[in-house]
Amino acid sequence: MWNFNTNITEHNRQIMVNKSVEVAQIEKEWARRANARFDWEKLKDSYIVRQFKKITHIGIAAMKDESKLQRLNHVMSEMEEIYSGGKVCLSTGDCHALEPGLTRLLATSRDYDLLQEVWVKWREVTGKKMKNLYSEFVELINEAHRDGGYSDTAAAWKSKYESETFEQDIEDLFIQLGPLYKQLHAFVRRKLMSVYGKDKFPTSGHIPAHLFGNMWSQQWNSLLDLLQPYDKESVDVTPAMKEQNYTALKMFQVSDEFFQSLGMLKMPKAFWEHSMIEKPKGRQVQCHASAWNFYNKKDFRVKQCTDVTMSDLITVHHEMGHIEYYLMYKDKPIVFQNGANPGFHEAVGDVLALSVSTPKHLQKINLLKNVVDDKESDINFMLSMALDKIAFLPFGYLMDQWRWSVFSGETPPSQYNEKWWQLRCKYQGISPPVMRSEDDFDPGAKYHIPANTPYIRYFVSFIIQFQFHKALCKAANQTGPLHTCDIYRSKEAGKLLSDVLKLGSSKPWEYAMEKIVGSRKMDAAPVMEYFKPLIDWLVEQNSQDESIGWEDECPMPPT
Ligand SMILES: C[C@H](NC(=O)O)C(=O)O
Ligand SMILES: [Zn+2]
């Protein structure tokens, strides 16, 4: 897997696909033996039962027909190759890959037509090319999960949260945070109208999808220079990082030092020796950042095409958070070497990044000079955080609403793109800048679809990371408002987090949640508490705007 992702060739694909089938045979044999020899569900010891449950639930390895499993792995590798090889040549003559070229263009250009060209062409060279592969993939992966005892792939994915009310719980959270998103959407729409002209916006209230500084309209931080309401030193420290000749290595060292300041584990030698932290020349790699556990207690790696930007500094903390979790549970039985639930794994690094992002921390590490502690600076900062954390919520929610509907058969291949845009228009209040059809396959333009990485985990993470942040700030005796908290160097905060990470998935996630935050449920209250001053400010800013919100239906794009 590692070799294919860091050097995409036919040769490495073949090895990876064959290896996956080999590993599946071993997992299938162990599951068979466990079920044949033990009536394990009746055992008294819940710890033992939990291990048997993990041994006998082996994902797609349960596929009975080996040639189909071979084909499934091959189709997945083909979609990943299409995505990672995506290159766009613009009318300006330049050609770019997603990272860093198209990402930088989208983040910095304010040219409506150029942004539209980048947006359309990326979808042509990725999603459009994998539509048939994806419908074949859906058939195969559903068969694999049915062989494993699930009704479909969505049921297998949801089972990771071990909760009958999981879907209802996340819908409740999404509804609870809807008004906050709507206020942010209205504020951003008004600002973008003043930049691009009202005539570029549909009367339905939607915002054209290509104007957010992000290929998927999922996080809007790159618009901060347009949106920052008060004229203060920007909290986007990208320029300072460039001035100080930051390198990818330096960014990883800054993150490593933060973890150590909490008394947590430092990155092992193998991490520094084997990670791929920059895009290599002369070979095709999968650039989407990821963290790798080699399950040998020594070898843990990050693969990231790191760009010297603040956004990538946050991603570095996110990926290192995964490594920290791997290190914390490395001595647990292999079956327990997972997050308490997938959302926990996505939250670890982000929790630390909530402290790193504060102006006072950025000043501590010399990336911000004169931090002024006044209301206007506060609003500037909280807006920058909302452009990351609140803007994301509908996208984090809808990605798997779409996929669950595809796996369940509710959305057939003939309606993939229609369903996708229904959700995007309804939940995000964004619209396609040009006509879309079923020849397009826009979900495939987002890494996690061809890579088959579940996504609701990020929605869960964006909620629980604020619960963790609140608990760790209390442990660190931080007394000010939640959005000003920085747990840097707090051994108490580090211990509270570490004790839970060490559990891996050996206990139900509600038990782990209770150990950190004192309650067993996901709760949006800390998010609301963190952003309270900003919410009040946005409501006041939007008070003249009668058209807050948008129509459910997608508007007709401009012809
Ligand atoms: C939020 C999610 N993070 C990740 O993949 O690590 C993304 O980038 O879409
Ligand atoms: Zn992650």
Side-chain angles (χ1 to χ4, degrees), residues 331-401:
D331 299 317
K332 276 269 179 278
I334 291 263
V335 284
F336 290 148
Q337 291 196 23
N338 280 298
N341 74 35
F344 272 63
H345 232 297
E346 298 308 332
V348 177
D350 285 15
V351 171
L352 274 73
L354 286 174
S355 288
V356 171
S357 304
T358 58
K360 76 180 171 190
H361 187 83
L362 293 171
Q363 187 176 45
K364 271 177 210 158
I365 58 174
N366 295 318
L367 284 175
L368 260 189
K369 284 190 195 56
N370 44 356
V371 168
V372 177
D373 197 1
D374 61 13
K375 179 149 172 41
E376 293 182 349
S377 306
D378 246 10
I379 293 295
N380 279 357
F381 168 63
M382 273 185 280
L383 181 68
S384 75
M385 293 306 287
L387 293 175
D388 180 3
K389 304 293 183 183
I390 301 302
F392 177 79
L393 294 173
F395 183 75
Y397 182 72
L398 71 83
M399 274 279 278
D400 282 351
Q401 296 298 326

Side-chain angles (χ1 to χ4, degrees), residues 206-218:
H206 296 87
I207 302 175
H210 63 305
L211 301 180
F212 290 96
N214 174 280
M215 184 60 88
W216 311 279
S217 326
Q218 71 179 71

Side-chain angles (χ1 to χ4, degrees), residues 186-209:
F187 175 79
V188 170
R189 181 179 58 197
R190 197 166 51 252
K191 289 281 178 177
L192 290 178
M193 280 180 171
S194 68
V195 172
Y196 293 105
K198 223 170 153 58
D199 60 313
K200 296 279 195 239
F201 290 69
T203 54
S204 57
H206 296 87
I207 302 175

Side-chain angles (χ1 to χ4, degrees), residues 216 218-219 288-290 315 318-319 322 346 350 392 395 399 446-448 453 455 458 462:
W216 311 279
Q218 71 179 71
Q219 282 152 300
H288 188 85
S290 55
T315 303
H318 175 89
E319 297 310 330
H322 287 302
E346 298 308 332
D350 285 15
F392 177 79
F395 183 75
M399 274 279 278
K446 174 66 191 173
Y447 167 78
H448 299 68
T453 307
Y455 209 82
Y458 302 105
F462 277 45

Side-chain angles (χ1 to χ4, degrees), residues 24 40 177 213 233 291 371 395 406 435 441 447 455 471 535 539 544 553:
W40 55 268
L177 291 164
E233 187 184 6
V371 168
F395 183 75
V406 165
M435 278 305 279
F441 178 56
Y447 167 78
Y455 209 82
I535 301 170
V539 169
Q544 311 309 321
E553 300 298 308

